[in-house]
Amino acid sequence: MFFWALLVSIGAIYFGNMLFGQYSLDTMLSLEATKKDLNRKILFLKEQNSKAQKDYFELQGLYPNEK
């Protein structure tokens, strides 16, 4: 009986640490930082794309008959 109680206790500690321990917190914080960085890059690329499209359409307006 003592063996099973010890085994269950060790299993509970292991799984509790795996789910709620330091490693999980580090992973979550790392993913949030990566998400913020990617969102900043997305906004920057959208701005660049907007400027490039504006330049493209202005050039199209200068030379409408060329294809």
Side-chain angles (χ1 to χ4, degrees):
M1 184 71 173
F2 177 73
F3 173 73
W4 290 108
L6 182 64
L7 187 63
V8 169
S9 297
I10 291 172
I13 291 170
Y14 174 75
F15 284 111
N17 190 29
M18 186 173 65
L19 293 175
F20 305 107
Q22 184 66 30
Y23 180 74
S24 298
L25 179 62
D26 289 342
T27 303
M28 183 187 74
L29 294 175
S30 172
L31 289 174
E32 286 179 355
T34 302
K35 182 180 177 181
K36 287 179 184 178
D37 185 45
L38 289 174
N39 282 331
R40 273 185 266 139
K41 287 181 181 178
I42 287 170
L43 289 175
F44 175 72
L45 291 173
K46 282 182 178 180
E47 289 173 4
Q48 280 187 328
N49 185 40
S50 174
K51 290 176 184 175
Q53 283 184 347
K54 180 183 174 193
D55 292 343
Y56 173 75
F57 289 129
E58 285 176 356
L59 289 173
Q60 285 286 327
L62 292 176
Y63 308 107
N65 294 332
E66 290 186 17
K67 289 190 179 186

